[in-house]
mmCIF file of all heavy atoms in Angstrom:
data_model
loop_
_atom_site.group_PDB
_atom_site.id
_atom_site.type_symbol
_atom_site.label_atom_id
_atom_site.label_comp_id
_atom_site.label_asym_id
_atom_site.label_seq_id
_atom_site.Cartn_x
_atom_site.Cartn_y
_atom_site.Cartn_z
ATOM 1 N N TRP U 1 108.089 108.510 94.583
ATOM 2 C CA TRP U 1 108.555 109.993 95.070
ATOM 3 C C TRP U 1 110.060 109.881 95.185
ATOM 4 O O TRP U 1 110.804 110.785 94.837
ATOM 5 C CB TRP U 1 107.848 110.395 96.219
ATOM 6 C CG TRP U 1 108.460 111.599 96.972
ATOM 7 C CD1 TRP U 1 108.293 112.838 96.699
ATOM 8 C CD2 TRP U 1 109.441 111.490 98.111
ATOM 9 N NE1 TRP U 1 109.108 113.566 97.528
ATOM 10 C CE2 TRP U 1 109.752 112.850 98.484
ATOM 11 C CE3 TRP U 1 110.012 110.390 98.787
ATOM 12 C CZ2 TRP U 1 110.673 113.088 99.499
ATOM 13 C CZ3 TRP U 1 110.874 110.664 99.778
ATOM 14 C CH2 TRP U 1 111.156 111.943 100.167
ATOM 15 N N ASP U 2 110.593 108.791 95.917
ATOM 16 C CA ASP U 2 111.970 108.698 96.256
ATOM 17 C C ASP U 2 112.864 108.626 95.115
ATOM 18 O O ASP U 2 114.025 109.040 95.196
ATOM 19 C CB ASP U 2 112.160 107.525 97.365
ATOM 20 C CG ASP U 2 113.449 107.342 97.822
ATOM 21 O OD1 ASP U 2 114.042 108.234 98.432
ATOM 22 O OD2 ASP U 2 114.089 106.262 97.562
ATOM 23 N N GLY U 3 112.450 107.796 94.159
ATOM 24 C CA GLY U 3 113.258 107.655 92.927
ATOM 25 C C GLY U 3 114.597 106.831 93.224
ATOM 26 O O GLY U 3 115.574 107.109 92.522
ATOM 27 N N GLY U 4 114.621 105.988 94.200
ATOM 28 C CA GLY U 4 115.775 105.194 94.500
ATOM 29 C C GLY U 4 116.859 105.919 95.373
ATOM 30 O O GLY U 4 117.914 105.280 95.560
ATOM 31 N N ALA U 5 116.424 107.022 96.010
ATOM 32 C CA ALA U 5 117.320 107.763 96.866
ATOM 33 C C ALA U 5 117.483 107.064 98.252
ATOM 34 O O ALA U 5 118.529 107.517 98.999
ATOM 35 C CB ALA U 5 116.828 109.162 97.078
ATOM 36 N N GLY U 6 116.625 106.219 98.628
ATOM 37 C CA GLY U 6 116.780 105.553 99.854
ATOM 38 C C GLY U 6 115.956 106.168 101.062
ATOM 39 O O GLY U 6 116.231 105.737 102.166
ATOM 40 N N ASP U 7 115.049 107.112 100.758
ATOM 41 C CA ASP U 7 114.239 107.754 101.798
ATOM 42 C C ASP U 7 112.899 107.502 101.752
ATOM 43 O O ASP U 7 111.990 108.143 102.417
ATOM 44 C CB ASP U 7 114.479 109.307 101.635
ATOM 45 C CG ASP U 7 115.983 109.825 101.816
ATOM 46 O OD1 ASP U 7 116.684 109.129 102.676
ATOM 47 O OD2 ASP U 7 116.300 110.816 101.051
ATOM 48 N N ALA U 8 112.361 106.473 101.080
ATOM 49 C CA ALA U 8 110.995 106.103 100.962
ATOM 50 C C ALA U 8 110.417 105.797 102.492
ATOM 51 O O ALA U 8 109.220 105.979 102.610
ATOM 52 C CB ALA U 8 110.823 104.913 100.056
ATOM 53 N N ASP U 9 111.136 105.379 103.346
ATOM 54 C CA ASP U 9 110.575 104.938 104.561
ATOM 55 C C ASP U 9 110.223 106.233 105.437
ATOM 56 O O ASP U 9 109.640 106.081 106.540
ATOM 57 C CB ASP U 9 111.689 104.166 105.502
ATOM 58 C CG ASP U 9 111.864 102.783 104.949
ATOM 59 O OD1 ASP U 9 111.137 102.349 104.177
ATOM 60 O OD2 ASP U 9 112.951 102.134 105.263
ATOM 61 N N LEU U 10 110.559 107.408 105.000
ATOM 62 C CA LEU U 10 110.054 108.616 105.587
ATOM 63 C C LEU U 10 108.507 108.618 105.743
ATOM 64 O O LEU U 10 107.962 109.139 106.696
ATOM 65 C CB LEU U 10 110.563 109.788 104.758
ATOM 66 C CG LEU U 10 110.376 111.219 105.348
ATOM 67 C CD1 LEU U 10 110.975 111.557 106.642
ATOM 68 C CD2 LEU U 10 110.702 112.241 104.286
ATOM 69 N N PHE U 11 107.841 108.100 104.719
ATOM 70 C CA PHE U 11 106.428 108.179 104.764
ATOM 71 C C PHE U 11 105.870 106.923 105.371
ATOM 72 O O PHE U 11 105.815 105.863 104.705
ATOM 73 C CB PHE U 11 105.842 108.374 103.275
ATOM 74 C CG PHE U 11 106.334 109.690 102.826
ATOM 75 C CD1 PHE U 11 107.501 109.833 102.072
ATOM 76 C CD2 PHE U 11 105.465 110.827 102.899
ATOM 77 C CE1 PHE U 11 107.950 111.122 101.626
ATOM 78 C CE2 PHE U 11 105.870 111.947 102.372
ATOM 79 C CZ PHE U 11 107.017 112.202 101.722
ATOM 80 N N ARG U 12 105.402 107.023 106.537
ATOM 81 C CA ARG U 12 104.899 105.837 107.390
ATOM 82 C C ARG U 12 103.365 105.803 107.363
ATOM 83 O O ARG U 12 102.709 106.666 107.174
ATOM 84 C CB ARG U 12 105.381 106.002 108.846
ATOM 85 C CG ARG U 12 106.965 105.975 108.820
ATOM 86 C CD ARG U 12 107.391 106.093 110.216
ATOM 87 N NE ARG U 12 108.885 105.981 110.366
ATOM 88 C CZ ARG U 12 109.576 106.074 111.542
ATOM 89 N NH1 ARG U 12 109.096 106.192 112.672
ATOM 90 N NH2 ARG U 12 110.982 105.951 111.460
ATOM 91 N N PRO U 13 102.804 104.577 107.596
ATOM 92 C CA PRO U 13 101.440 104.368 107.531
ATOM 93 C C PRO U 13 100.625 105.249 108.466
ATOM 94 O O PRO U 13 99.523 105.406 108.273
ATOM 95 C CB PRO U 13 101.280 102.781 107.955
ATOM 96 C CG PRO U 13 102.553 102.254 107.467
ATOM 97 C CD PRO U 13 103.652 103.281 107.794
ATOM 98 N N GLY U 14 101.374 105.830 109.422
ATOM 99 C CA GLY U 14 100.572 106.616 110.423
ATOM 100 C C GLY U 14 100.048 107.906 109.712
ATOM 101 O O GLY U 14 98.982 108.416 110.174
ATOM 102 N N LEU U 15 100.594 108.230 108.520
ATOM 103 C CA LEU U 15 99.980 109.408 107.766
ATOM 104 C C LEU U 15 98.634 109.133 107.352
ATOM 105 O O LEU U 15 97.806 110.021 107.292
ATOM 106 C CB LEU U 15 100.822 109.662 106.553
ATOM 107 C CG LEU U 15 102.181 110.342 106.703
ATOM 108 C CD1 LEU U 15 102.939 110.449 105.467
ATOM 109 C CD2 LEU U 15 101.928 111.724 107.283
ATOM 110 N N LEU U 16 98.223 107.881 107.155
ATOM 111 C CA LEU U 16 96.939 107.541 106.668
ATOM 112 C C LEU U 16 95.813 107.745 107.772
ATOM 113 O O LEU U 16 94.645 107.886 107.469
ATOM 114 C CB LEU U 16 96.905 106.024 106.303
ATOM 115 C CG LEU U 16 97.869 105.585 105.092
ATOM 116 C CD1 LEU U 16 97.828 104.165 104.900
ATOM 117 C CD2 LEU U 16 97.479 106.457 103.845
ATOM 118 N N ALA U 17 96.268 107.864 108.991
ATOM 119 C CA ALA U 17 95.358 108.147 110.024
ATOM 120 C C ALA U 17 95.070 109.658 110.290
ATOM 121 O O ALA U 17 94.344 109.999 111.185
ATOM 122 C CB ALA U 17 95.815 107.583 111.412
ATOM 123 N N GLU U 18 95.856 110.520 109.556
ATOM 124 C CA GLU U 18 95.791 111.975 109.673
ATOM 125 C C GLU U 18 94.562 112.502 108.827
ATOM 126 O O GLU U 18 94.544 112.362 107.559
ATOM 127 C CB GLU U 18 96.983 112.648 109.298
ATOM 128 C CG GLU U 18 98.249 112.245 110.133
ATOM 129 C CD GLU U 18 98.046 112.876 111.597
ATOM 130 O OE1 GLU U 18 97.437 113.914 111.730
ATOM 131 O OE2 GLU U 18 98.590 112.240 112.527
ATOM 132 N N PRO U 19 93.481 112.879 109.361
ATOM 133 C CA PRO U 19 92.271 113.271 108.556
ATOM 134 C C PRO U 19 92.463 114.340 107.533
ATOM 135 O O PRO U 19 91.681 114.617 106.703
ATOM 136 C CB PRO U 19 91.123 113.528 109.641
ATOM 137 C CG PRO U 19 92.009 113.881 110.864
ATOM 138 C CD PRO U 19 93.187 113.088 110.865
ATOM 139 N N GLU U 20 93.367 115.219 107.918
ATOM 140 C CA GLU U 20 93.679 116.417 106.993
ATOM 141 C C GLU U 20 94.852 116.270 106.061
ATOM 142 O O GLU U 20 95.269 117.127 105.461
ATOM 143 C CB GLU U 20 93.807 117.699 107.860
ATOM 144 C CG GLU U 20 92.730 117.829 108.927
ATOM 145 C CD GLU U 20 91.246 117.861 108.305
ATOM 146 O OE1 GLU U 20 91.277 118.407 107.201
ATOM 147 O OE2 GLU U 20 90.390 117.727 109.083
ATOM 148 N N THR U 21 95.366 115.048 106.023
ATOM 149 C CA THR U 21 96.462 114.772 105.149
ATOM 150 C C THR U 21 95.984 113.797 104.008
ATOM 151 O O THR U 21 95.379 112.811 104.165
ATOM 152 C CB THR U 21 97.670 114.156 105.910
ATOM 153 O OG1 THR U 21 98.109 115.076 106.875
ATOM 154 C CG2 THR U 21 98.932 113.831 104.836
ATOM 155 N N PHE U 22 96.387 114.168 102.714
ATOM 156 C CA PHE U 22 95.955 113.422 101.615
ATOM 157 C C PHE U 22 97.253 113.205 100.672
ATOM 158 O O PHE U 22 97.708 114.171 100.175
ATOM 159 C CB PHE U 22 94.870 114.281 100.768
ATOM 160 C CG PHE U 22 93.613 114.453 101.593
ATOM 161 C CD1 PHE U 22 93.657 115.571 102.498
ATOM 162 C CD2 PHE U 22 92.474 113.720 101.442
ATOM 163 C CE1 PHE U 22 92.558 115.802 103.303
ATOM 164 C CE2 PHE U 22 91.345 114.027 102.180
ATOM 165 C CZ PHE U 22 91.390 115.169 103.185
ATOM 166 N N VAL U 23 97.520 111.984 100.505
ATOM 167 C CA VAL U 23 98.676 111.606 99.611
ATOM 168 C C VAL U 23 98.103 111.305 98.181
ATOM 169 O O VAL U 23 97.373 110.286 98.056
ATOM 170 C CB VAL U 23 99.348 110.382 100.096
ATOM 171 C CG1 VAL U 23 100.440 110.117 99.197
ATOM 172 C CG2 VAL U 23 99.951 110.728 101.558
ATOM 173 N N ILE U 24 98.225 112.252 97.308
ATOM 174 C CA ILE U 24 97.700 112.195 95.961
ATOM 175 C C ILE U 24 98.688 111.574 95.079
ATOM 176 O O ILE U 24 99.782 111.752 95.036
ATOM 177 C CB ILE U 24 97.320 113.490 95.435
ATOM 178 C CG1 ILE U 24 96.342 114.285 96.344
ATOM 179 C CG2 ILE U 24 96.928 113.579 94.028
ATOM 180 C CD1 ILE U 24 96.183 115.798 96.090
ATOM 181 N N LEU U 25 98.180 110.617 94.199
ATOM 182 C CA LEU U 25 99.081 109.855 93.364
ATOM 183 C C LEU U 25 98.349 109.813 91.942
ATOM 184 O O LEU U 25 97.210 109.855 91.725
ATOM 185 C CB LEU U 25 99.223 108.488 93.808
ATOM 186 C CG LEU U 25 98.078 107.646 94.146
ATOM 187 C CD1 LEU U 25 97.801 106.475 93.081
ATOM 188 C CD2 LEU U 25 98.276 107.005 95.491
ATOM 189 N N GLY U 26 99.204 109.768 90.945
ATOM 190 C CA GLY U 26 98.852 109.675 89.558
ATOM 191 C C GLY U 26 99.380 108.288 89.158
ATOM 192 O O GLY U 26 100.629 108.058 89.270
ATOM 193 N N ARG U 27 98.476 107.497 88.488
ATOM 194 C CA ARG U 27 98.798 106.135 88.026
ATOM 195 C C ARG U 27 98.634 106.176 86.531
ATOM 196 O O ARG U 27 97.803 106.910 85.913
ATOM 197 C CB ARG U 27 97.935 105.093 88.673
ATOM 198 C CG ARG U 27 98.216 104.733 90.195
ATOM 199 C CD ARG U 27 97.181 103.589 90.488
ATOM 200 N NE ARG U 27 97.317 103.274 91.911
ATOM 201 C CZ ARG U 27 98.222 102.498 92.413
ATOM 202 N NH1 ARG U 27 99.063 101.984 91.763
ATOM 203 N NH2 ARG U 27 98.150 102.209 93.740
ATOM 204 N N SER U 28 99.266 105.098 85.922
ATOM 205 C CA SER U 28 98.925 104.757 84.474
ATOM 206 C C SER U 28 97.566 104.091 84.519
ATOM 207 O O SER U 28 97.263 103.292 85.130
ATOM 208 C CB SER U 28 100.071 103.845 84.003
ATOM 209 O OG SER U 28 101.336 104.459 83.956
ATOM 210 N N ALA U 29 96.751 104.643 83.462
ATOM 211 C CA ALA U 29 95.400 104.106 83.501
ATOM 212 C C ALA U 29 95.347 102.655 83.028
ATOM 213 O O ALA U 29 94.397 101.985 83.279
ATOM 214 C CB ALA U 29 94.578 104.961 82.419
ATOM 215 N N ASP U 30 96.426 102.194 82.384
ATOM 216 C CA ASP U 30 96.475 100.836 81.923
ATOM 217 C C ASP U 30 97.034 99.856 82.888
ATOM 218 O O ASP U 30 97.330 98.583 82.662
ATOM 219 C CB ASP U 30 97.207 100.710 80.563
ATOM 220 C CG ASP U 30 98.631 100.982 80.738
ATOM 221 O OD1 ASP U 30 99.042 101.519 81.878
ATOM 222 O OD2 ASP U 30 99.419 100.907 79.837
ATOM 223 N N ASP U 31 97.153 100.396 84.099
ATOM 224 C CA ASP U 31 97.680 99.517 85.250
ATOM 225 C C ASP U 31 96.679 98.593 85.788
ATOM 226 O O ASP U 31 95.924 98.769 86.796
ATOM 227 C CB ASP U 31 98.245 100.375 86.321
ATOM 228 C CG ASP U 31 98.938 99.606 87.520
ATOM 229 O OD1 ASP U 31 99.091 98.371 87.294
ATOM 230 O OD2 ASP U 31 99.089 100.238 88.551
ATOM 231 N N THR U 32 96.393 97.480 85.191
ATOM 232 C CA THR U 32 95.340 96.658 85.568
ATOM 233 C C THR U 32 95.625 95.508 86.507
ATOM 234 O O THR U 32 94.792 94.861 87.003
ATOM 235 C CB THR U 32 94.666 96.021 84.221
ATOM 236 O OG1 THR U 32 95.720 95.279 83.624
ATOM 237 C CG2 THR U 32 94.085 97.070 83.213
ATOM 238 N N ASP U 33 96.951 95.377 86.742
ATOM 239 C CA ASP U 33 97.356 94.246 87.618
ATOM 240 C C ASP U 33 98.474 94.831 88.612
ATOM 241 O O ASP U 33 99.616 94.496 88.596
ATOM 242 C CB ASP U 33 97.949 93.124 86.811
ATOM 243 C CG ASP U 33 98.278 91.771 87.724
ATOM 244 O OD1 ASP U 33 97.769 91.941 88.843
ATOM 245 O OD2 ASP U 33 98.885 90.873 87.311
ATOM 246 N N ARG U 34 97.914 95.727 89.523
ATOM 247 C CA ARG U 34 98.791 96.339 90.455
ATOM 248 C C ARG U 34 99.538 95.501 91.408
ATOM 249 O O ARG U 34 100.673 95.783 91.890
ATOM 250 C CB ARG U 34 97.975 97.482 91.268
ATOM 251 C CG ARG U 34 97.318 98.498 90.248
ATOM 252 C CD ARG U 34 96.420 99.474 91.062
ATOM 253 N NE ARG U 34 95.799 100.505 90.175
ATOM 254 C CZ ARG U 34 94.979 101.282 90.534
ATOM 255 N NH1 ARG U 34 94.541 101.226 91.791
ATOM 256 N NH2 ARG U 34 94.365 102.144 89.758
ATOM 257 N N ASP U 35 98.943 94.381 91.734
ATOM 258 C CA ASP U 35 99.561 93.372 92.824
ATOM 259 C C ASP U 35 100.832 92.885 92.221
ATOM 260 O O ASP U 35 101.688 92.427 93.033
ATOM 261 C CB ASP U 35 98.510 92.324 93.074
ATOM 262 C CG ASP U 35 97.485 92.880 93.862
ATOM 263 O OD1 ASP U 35 97.517 94.002 94.408
ATOM 264 O OD2 ASP U 35 96.393 92.093 93.943
ATOM 265 N N THR U 36 101.047 92.849 90.957
ATOM 266 C CA THR U 36 102.247 92.264 90.454
ATOM 267 C C THR U 36 103.434 93.299 90.168
ATOM 268 O O THR U 36 104.429 92.997 89.706
ATOM 269 C CB THR U 36 101.972 91.400 89.173
ATOM 270 O OG1 THR U 36 101.604 92.362 88.163
ATOM 271 C CG2 THR U 36 101.047 90.447 89.368
ATOM 272 N N ASP U 37 103.166 94.629 90.282
ATOM 273 C CA ASP U 37 103.990 95.747 90.040
ATOM 274 C C ASP U 37 104.539 96.293 91.369
ATOM 275 O O ASP U 37 103.891 96.674 92.234
ATOM 276 C CB ASP U 37 103.266 96.781 89.257
ATOM 277 C CG ASP U 37 104.156 97.737 88.585
ATOM 278 O OD1 ASP U 37 105.329 97.905 89.034
ATOM 279 O OD2 ASP U 37 103.702 98.165 87.466
ATOM 280 N N THR U 38 105.952 96.184 91.474
ATOM 281 C CA THR U 38 106.534 96.489 92.740
ATOM 282 C C THR U 38 106.255 97.955 93.059
ATOM 283 O O THR U 38 106.405 98.310 94.358
ATOM 284 C CB THR U 38 108.029 96.253 92.588
ATOM 285 O OG1 THR U 38 108.550 96.897 91.561
ATOM 286 C CG2 THR U 38 108.244 94.676 92.536
ATOM 287 N N ASP U 39 106.157 98.838 92.184
ATOM 288 C CA ASP U 39 105.936 100.263 92.561
ATOM 289 C C ASP U 39 104.619 100.743 92.292
ATOM 290 O O ASP U 39 104.202 101.927 92.377
ATOM 291 C CB ASP U 39 107.032 101.134 91.836
ATOM 292 C CG ASP U 39 106.846 101.314 90.444
ATOM 293 O OD1 ASP U 39 105.853 100.662 89.812
ATOM 294 O OD2 ASP U 39 107.626 101.919 89.896
#
């Protein structure tokens, strides 16, 4: 989302505890080794 602007820290893990908040993402379907991909 940040695209290198330096504001990625805005989204903190506490958001994951909010039951009515859903962070939706679209991934490349061929991303079979996510652990080695920094983003």
Side-chain angles (χ1 to χ4, degrees):
W1 166 84
D2 180 62
D7 297 326
D9 290 342
L10 182 64
F11 293 88
R12 297 182 175 179
L15 282 175
L16 301 174
E18 296 292 332
E20 308 301 335
T21 299
F22 301 78
V23 179
I24 298 169
L25 53 105
R27 289 187 185 273
S28 297
D30 61 355
D31 182 17
T32 58
D33 188 9
R34 297 175 183 173
D35 289 342
T36 65
D37 196 329
T38 56
D39 68 0

